[in-house]
């Protein structure tokens, strides 16, 4: 997608691997939101970390230095976001070094191309990326960012100069405390040293005075692909300017207490008329000491002197940042080609309009600081990253609502598709660590995982174990089996599933439906009979039935419960327009919706479509209810709308309200968050509409969502809810599968394609897809399907295209596309 002008105001593309932390490329080409130090902090800024150009010409004479950043935009008044905030240090830097001029950005996550406008006689562009190789978690978990500058002389006179990169030695920083120039209380004893390897020049940024277990201990690398000029240690931007103008004598020794050094590398170039050259830089990092430095829900026992080290999986793969840089450099071309293949697959797909790049951006959710992997390999996730939307209750720095919240992660689908082994690890944690002897699963896990878990205690958000999260655990178990976990894994987990379902059956089931207090993702206790919890129950029963059949177990009880429940829910709740909630006379009306129209009223059906479980309720009723949700809840224009709590849509925005009361009857204390717009729910409802063939309704939701996040007032790569990079947004991957009719079943080794008309171009279509062993593109044209494996391999036995099945007799590997003639 192309971003210019106001669309760059909130643009911030996060760059970093799975669980490594990120730094963001801002719309003006600056580096912001430094989150490498084991904590989420959208306001974190490392000063004096930038790129600059000195350009010279003999005659007519020219000698100019420019900062490779466009002028900063003024912030907007958008509520609860900070992606448009320009750090004060960036503004001060632009007072010292003149900005080069406005920028234009083309980006599909995780790649971006920046074009710089300038009055200088040079054409200059930047390509930036972090490796992303779906189904290869290690390749996608590298703590590096690669920068490739392309310089072209379009004129008739030779030019020469230097291209420079600068990076502050932030080893010892806590990731939060503001840095004033080179001053910070965490600094002192910092050193920068030079290393040469394979024609690359490294600046290795360290602090040997820190204990190995210090939270800020680590290493950074700034490197360039030539025998570059080095200004190893400097403190003010004026010193780097002097370095670009001629030789300087850098400071020596370790930095004083409370201060650090900046480092700089410069690459000379000469360009004759019409010539082009490229210069590569990289930034690599290694911060191994992740601790439990976040407040966890539940009681707070006396921990004594323990600090609870968690570590990071990415730091176990390479011993330091130097090794991470070495590995990346050795594989730069291949990793860039693989990442480019991924982004181009979305850009060149036949997905409608901007859908391709928008869905590619979903991967930023799971590679943001919201998700990390411990040194022991455990995948842990917050709900989001604390920020402006959480300042009123949880602060602005760190992880929002730890950890592995089952009811919020009920929406997430992206990680499970791209890296299914990591999602499987989360199921192992639920069953091995979180599940109580009675069978229930609390909706949060405490870290380290050997700590006493949240059994029989008040949890928070809601207070007791969330029922929707438990039902989701059953669905996610079946999903992981279909994604490649295998029958042996299912066999080992089946007793846990049975205990969980037995607990739910015994506590909530009455007359075929779930009744009583039902803790939910709305952070309140639902009551009565409702289709939000009901469809999750019905989908869980169907998933249990399928799993029982796979294991040769008796599935009759699950089918019987499903049949009875399906009939009862429909008869009790369907109004002819949508599914309401009914309450017993003695049940509270506070925080309920009663006769209201809930956006997520059919969330279990959305799950069922993804898992090939069929319709849970009558098809015509489901479609009628979805149409009603869009008709009543999709609002355009919020100028006269009262926001009693958080504002995620305002002004001229279009957004799907969580609940409305089209025929009156709104309770005095309605269900919490009813007046909010959640991107995760929007993706869920939109995908469900597409599954049901309601394309106009589904696309209207998506277009409203994407218009809100177009860069003018919100960041396209940062969904906001209870924090930044909120994981509920990762529900959006289901939109890709709904549009393309894609299904994958590792048990039967089969995939299916049946694209909707709007995902086709006349008689052709093209889409990327992922299995547990590799990813590929599928292109249909002129009566033939071509499957091109891009990474890994595809182990398939059947490919079904528009209901016609074709057998496959050999693995599909890169370099050997499979062509199936379908006519």
């Amino acid at each position: 997608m192309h971003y210019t002008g106001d669309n760059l105001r909130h643009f911030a593309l996060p760059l970093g691997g799975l669980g490594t932390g990120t730094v963001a490329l801002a719309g003006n080409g600056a580096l912001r939101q430094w989150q490498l130090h084991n904590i989420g902090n959208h306001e974190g800024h490392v000063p004096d970390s930038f790129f600059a150009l000195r350009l010279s010409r003999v005659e007519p004479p020219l000698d100019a230095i420019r900062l490779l950043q466009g002028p900063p935009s003024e912030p907007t008044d958008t509520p609860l976001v900070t992606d448009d905030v320009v750090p004060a240090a960036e503004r001060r830097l632009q007072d010292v070094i003149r900005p080069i001029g406005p920028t234009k950005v083309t980006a599909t996550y995780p790649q971006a191309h920046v074009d710089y406008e300038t009055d200088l006689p040079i054409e200059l562009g930047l390509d930036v990326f972090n490796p992303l190789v779906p189904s290869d978690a290690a390749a996608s978990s590298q703590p590096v960012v690669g920068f490739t500058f392309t310089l072209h002389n379009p004129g008739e006179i030779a030019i020469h100069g230097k291209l420079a990169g600068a990076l502050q030695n932030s080893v010892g920083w806590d990731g939060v405390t503001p840095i004033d120039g080179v001053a910070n209380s965490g600094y002192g004893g910092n050193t920068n040293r030079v290393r040469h390897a394979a024609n690359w020049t490294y600046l290795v940024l360290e602090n040997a005075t820190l204990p190995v277990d210090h939270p800020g201990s680590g290493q950074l690398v700034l490197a360039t692909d030539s025998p570059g000029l080095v200004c190893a240690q400097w403190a003010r931007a004026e010193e780097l300017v002097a370095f670009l103008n001629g030789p300087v004598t850098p400071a020596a020794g370790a930095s004083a207490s409370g201060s650090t050094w900046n480092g700089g590398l410069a690459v000379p170039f000469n360009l004759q008329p019409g010539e082009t050259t490229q210069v590569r830089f990289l930034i690599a990092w290694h911060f191994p000491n992740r601790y439990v430095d976040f407040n966890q829900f539940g009681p707070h026992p006396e921990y004594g002197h323990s600090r609870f080290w968690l570590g990071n999986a990415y730091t176990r793969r390479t011993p330091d940042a130097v090794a991470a840089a070495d590995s990346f450099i050795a594989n730069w071309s291949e990793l860039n080609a693989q990442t480019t293949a991924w982004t181009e697959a979305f850009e060149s797909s036949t997905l409608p309009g901007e859908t391709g790049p928008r869905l590619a951006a979903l991967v930023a959710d799971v590679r943001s600081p919201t998700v990390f992997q411990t040194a022991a390999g455990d995948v842990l996730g917050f709900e989001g990253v604390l920020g402006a939307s959480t300042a009123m209750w949880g602060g602005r720095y760190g992880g929002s609502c730890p950890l592995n919240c089952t009811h919020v992660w009920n929406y997430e689908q992206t990680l499970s598709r791209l890296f299914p082994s990591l999602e499987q690890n989360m199921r192992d944690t639920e069953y091995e660590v979180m599940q109580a002897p009675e069978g229930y699963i609390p909706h949060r896990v405490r870290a380290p995982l050997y700590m006493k878990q949240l059994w029989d205690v008040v949890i928070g958000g809601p207070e007791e174990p969330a029922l929707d999260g438990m039902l989701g655990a059953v669905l996610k178990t079946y999903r992981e089996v279909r994604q490649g976990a295998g029958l042996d894994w299912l066999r080992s987990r089946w007793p846990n599933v049975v205990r969980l379902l037995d607990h739910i059956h015994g506590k909530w089931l009455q007359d075929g439906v779930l009744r009583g207090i039902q803790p939910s993702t709305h952070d309140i206790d639902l009551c009565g009979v409702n289709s939000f919890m009901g469809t999750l129950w019905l989908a869980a029963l169907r998933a249990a039935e399928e799993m029982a059949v796979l294991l040769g177990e008796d599935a009759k009880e699950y089918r019987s419960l499903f049949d009875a429940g399906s009939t009862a829910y429909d008869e009790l709740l369907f109004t002819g327009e949508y599914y309401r909630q009914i309450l017993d006379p003695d049940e509270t009306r506070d925080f309920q919706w009663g006769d209201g129209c809930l956006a997520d009223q059919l969330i279990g059906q959305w799950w069922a479509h993804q898992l090939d479980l069929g319709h849970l309720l009558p098809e015509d009723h489901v479609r009628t209810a979805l149409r009603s949700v869009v008709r009543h809840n999709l609002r355009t224009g919020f100028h006269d709308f009262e926001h009693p709590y958080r504002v995620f849509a305002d002004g001229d925005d279009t957004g799907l309200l969580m609940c409305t009361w089209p025929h009156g009857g709104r309770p005095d204390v309605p269900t919490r968050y009813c007046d909010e717009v959640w991107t995760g729910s929007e993706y869920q409802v939109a995908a469900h509409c597409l599954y049901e063939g309601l394309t106009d309704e589904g696309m209207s939701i998506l277009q409203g969502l994407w218009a809100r996040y177009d860069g003018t007032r919100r960041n396209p790569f940062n969904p906001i809810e209870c924090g930044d990079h909120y994981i509920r947004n990762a529900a959006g991957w289901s939109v890709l599968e709904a549009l393309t009719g894609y299904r994958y079943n590792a048990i039967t080794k089969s995939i299916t394609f049946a694209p909707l008309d709007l995902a086709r171009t006349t008689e052709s279509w093209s889409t990327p897809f992922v299995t547990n062993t590799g990813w590929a593109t599928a292109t249909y044209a002129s009566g033939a399907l071509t499957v091109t494996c891009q990474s890994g391999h595809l182990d398939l036995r059947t490919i079904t295209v528009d209901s016609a099945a074709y057998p496959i007799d050999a693995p599909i590997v890169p370099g050997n596309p499979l062509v199936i003639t379908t006519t």
Side-chain angles (χ1 to χ4, degrees):
M1 288 184 63
H2 302 290
Y3 299 87
T4 59
D6 287 344
N7 294 99
L8 293 170
R9 195 181 302 272
H10 283 258
F11 180 100
L13 177 73
L15 293 161
L18 283 158
T20 68
T22 59
V23 58
L25 177 76
N28 71 336
L31 298 178
R32 298 179 189 162
Q33 299 178 5
W34 291 82
Q35 301 179 101
L36 312 181
H37 298 72
N38 297 318
I39 188 167
N41 176 15
H42 263 57
E43 299 173 23
H45 187 64
V46 177
D48 296 328
S49 301
F50 57 88
F51 296 97
L53 171 75
R54 179 189 176 190
L55 187 68
S56 302
R57 184 177 60 199
V58 175
E59 192 171 336
L62 171 71
D63 191 45
I65 293 177
R66 295 286 189 271
L67 182 66
L68 296 186
Q69 296 175 6
S73 301
E74 292 304 314
T76 67
D77 60 352
T78 310
L80 305 182
V81 300
T82 58
D83 293 290
D84 58 332
V85 174
V86 180
E90 182 181 316
R91 294 185 181 275
R92 289 195 295 268
L93 178 64
Q94 295 198 359
D95 290 337
V96 177
I97 308 177
R98 178 179 166 183
I100 191 169
T103 56
K104 297 178 181 178
V105 180
T106 301
T108 297
Y109 181 85
Q111 291 180 317
H113 175 79
V114 183
D115 282 313
Y116 303 91
E117 296 184 17
T118 178
D119 58 350
L120 298 176
I122 192 172
E123 293 177 355
L124 182 64
L126 165 65
D127 290 284
V128 58
F129 86 109
N130 171 274
L132 174 59
V133 186
S135 77
D136 188 340
S140 304
S141 303
Q142 299 190 45
V144 292
V145 180
F147 304 85
T148 300
F149 290 91
T150 301
L151 300 87
H152 174 68
N153 180 2
E156 298 178 353
I157 303 172
I159 56 177
H160 62 280
K162 300 172 184 174
L163 186 67
L167 182 65
Q168 182 166 109
N169 184 337
S170 58
V171 177
W173 185 42
D174 62 6
V176 172
T177 307
I179 303 168
D180 183 8
V182 293
N184 183 270
S185 58
Y187 288 160
N190 298 72
T191 57
N192 300 345
R193 61 181 171 89
V194 182
R195 176 179 183 264
H196 297 282
N199 293 321
W200 279 72
T201 304
Y202 290 47
L203 264 182
V204 184
L205 285 52
E206 301 168 307
N207 189 329
T209 68
L210 297 175
V212 294
D213 63 346
H214 188 281
S217 179
Q219 189 182 67
L220 289 155
V221 166
L222 173 68
T224 189
D225 63 342
S226 72
L229 306 174
V230 180
C231 185
Q233 299 191 156
W234 51 277
R236 297 181 301 116
E238 290 86 350
E239 296 174 61
L240 187 76
V241 171
F243 164 64
L244 291 176
N245 282 323
V248 298
T249 302
S255 64
S257 177
S259 69
T260 189
W261 296 117
N262 303 318
L265 297 174
V267 178
F269 62 87
N270 288 277
L271 291 175
Q272 295 301 311
E275 282 191 339
T276 299
T277 191
Q278 288 190 328
V279 178
R280 290 188 293 178
F281 284 89
L282 70 78
I283 295 173
W285 59 92
H286 187 275
F287 291 99
N289 295 324
R290 181 184 294 274
Y291 288 92
V292 179
D293 57 359
F294 42 85
N295 292 325
Q296 303 195 74
F297 284 81
H300 295 274
E302 177 56 51
Y303 291 132
H305 298 290
S306 299
R307 290 198 292 173
F308 297 129
W309 184 86
L310 298 175
N312 285 310
Y314 85 87
T315 64
R316 291 296 180 94
R317 298 185 183 101
T318 51
D320 54 26
V322 170
D326 287 346
S327 175
F328 177 67
I329 290 168
N331 298 284
W332 183 310
S333 296
E334 179 183 359
L335 291 168
N336 188 46
Q338 290 179 316
T339 305
T340 300
W342 175 253
T343 59
E344 288 183 347
F346 284 89
E347 294 165 358
S348 63
S349 73
T350 54
L351 298 169
E354 61 189 83
T355 302
R358 288 293 192 171
L359 298 183
L362 295 167
V363 190
D365 300 333
V366 298
R367 298 214 306 170
S368 75
T370 295
V371 184
F372 63 95
Q373 189 176 17
T374 69
D378 299 308
V379 178
L380 299 174
F382 300 99
E383 292 182 24
V385 177
L386 295 175
S389 63
T390 61
M392 71 289 290
W393 72 270
R396 304 177 76 93
Y397 319 117
S400 172
C401 303
L403 276 168
N404 291 26
C405 179
T406 60
H407 58 74
V408 171
W409 279 78
N410 260 3
Y411 292 76
E412 183 277 318
Q413 303 295 337
T414 309
L415 184 67
S416 73
R417 303 307 199 275
L418 271 64
F419 305 102
S421 64
L422 301 185
E423 189 79 45
Q424 182 183 331
N425 176 270
M426 299 183 82
R427 304 290 80 71
D428 291 332
T429 297
E430 286 172 357
Y431 291 129
E432 294 177 3
V433 178
M434 299 168 66
Q435 189 170 28
E438 297 86 347
Y440 67 85
I441 298 178
H443 52 272
R444 304 190 192 280
V445 67
R446 305 192 82 172
L449 302 189
Y450 55 77
M451 293 293 295
K452 183 178 180 181
Q453 294 303 310
L454 297 169
W455 299 348
D456 300 320
V457 297
V458 172
I459 302 173
E463 293 187 351
E464 295 185 1
L467 176 56
D468 50 346
M470 286 186 269
L471 294 168
V474 179
L475 294 166
K476 286 177 270 191
T477 301
Y478 185 44
R479 179 188 64 190
E480 268 57 276
V481 174
R482 289 171 58 94
Q483 288 296 118
L487 293 184
D488 288 341
W489 180 81
L490 174 59
R491 194 169 288 109
S492 70
R493 293 296 169 227
W494 183 242
N496 302 89
V497 174
V498 172
R499 281 199 297 129
L500 176 58
L501 286 169
D502 286 348
H503 172 80
I504 295 169
H505 180 288
K507 183 169 183 177
W508 283 286
L509 190 66
Q510 300 178 38
D511 302 322
V513 298
L514 304 179
R515 295 180 181 270
I517 294 175
Q518 303 159 50
S520 80
T521 195
H522 306 95
D523 294 338
I524 47 89
D525 294 332
L526 300 181
C527 297
V529 184
N530 65 87
S531 60
F532 171 79
M533 212 66 77
T535 56
L536 286 171
W537 166 243
L538 295 175
L541 290 172
R542 281 287 294 113
E545 179 186 5
E546 295 294 332
M547 288 187 282
V549 169
L550 287 173
L551 296 176
E553 301 283 344
D554 187 355
K556 293 178 182 178
E557 180 184 5
Y558 300 121
R559 169 54 72 168
S560 176
L561 290 171
F562 169 79
D563 289 340
S566 177
T567 299
Y569 274 108
D570 191 66
E571 290 179 350
L572 286 170
L573 303 182
F574 189 62
T575 66
E577 190 178 7
Y578 54 82
Y579 288 88
R580 62 175 180 169
Q581 175 194 33
I582 59 172
L583 300 165
D584 291 338
D586 60 344
E587 289 182 312
T588 181
R589 268 57 182 166
D590 289 352
F591 297 115
Q592 311 303 308
W593 63 84
D595 291 331
C597 181
L598 185 75
D600 282 340
Q601 63 185 261
L602 292 170
I603 185 173
Q605 184 63 71
W606 168 69
W607 265 102
H609 284 316
Q610 294 179 80
L611 299 179
D612 284 331
L613 299 176
H615 274 90
L616 310 175
L617 297 164
E619 289 185 45
D620 57 336
H621 291 184
V622 168
R623 293 192 180 99
T624 297
L626 280 175
R627 289 190 183 98
S628 298
V629 166
V630 177
R631 182 170 68 254
H632 295 312
N633 294 27
L634 187 63
R635 181 186 179 97
T636 296
F638 286 81
H639 289 282
D640 59 346
F641 188 80
E642 181 179 351
H643 296 279
Y645 193 29
R646 301 172 300 191
V647 181
F648 301 130
D650 64 337
D652 295 327
D653 288 338
T654 294
L656 190 74
L657 290 168
M658 285 300 301
C659 192
T660 62
W661 286 263
H663 307 299
R666 175 173 170 141
D668 293 335
V669 181
T671 185
R672 186 172 288 169
Y673 312 130
C674 62
D675 298 312
E676 295 184 350
V677 173
W678 291 355
T679 63
S681 290
E682 288 180 302
Y683 271 126
Q684 181 269 123
V685 176
H688 190 180
C689 285
L690 295 171
Y691 279 125
E692 301 288 351
L694 305 178
T695 56
D696 289 345
E697 289 84 351
M699 293 307 297
S700 66
I701 297 172
L702 295 174
Q703 288 160 358
L705 190 169
W706 294 336
R708 295 200 313 275
Y709 283 86
D710 67 352
T712 58
R713 302 185 68 246
R714 295 175 185 86
N715 183 2
F717 308 100
N718 179 22
I720 304 291
E721 196 189 308
C722 188
D724 296 286
H725 296 296
Y726 200 74
I727 203 63
R728 198 190 312 265
N729 184 74
W733 202 259
S734 60
V735 170
L736 176 65
E737 297 183 355
L739 281 168
T740 61
Y742 175 70
R743 303 288 189 281
Y744 172 58
N745 189 335
I747 305 167
T748 59
K749 297 185 178 181
S750 62
I751 58 175
T752 298
F753 299 101
L756 299 177
D757 287 344
L758 75 166
R760 302 174 186 244
T761 302
T762 59
E763 296 301 318
S764 66
W765 53 265
S766 179
T767 183
F769 67 94
V770 187
T771 74
N772 65 312
T773 59
W775 80 271
T777 56
T779 301
Y780 181 86
S782 302
L785 175 72
T786 302
V787 176
T788 305
C789 183
Q790 302 286 352
S791 178
H793 69 280
L794 306 182
D795 185 11
L796 301 173
R797 294 295 175 266
T798 308
I799 296 179
T800 300
V801 182
D802 293 332
S803 301
Y806 302 91
I808 308 300
D809 58 7
I812 307 171
V813 297
N816 188 20
L818 171 72
V819 179
I820 299 174
T821 301
T822 61
T823 57

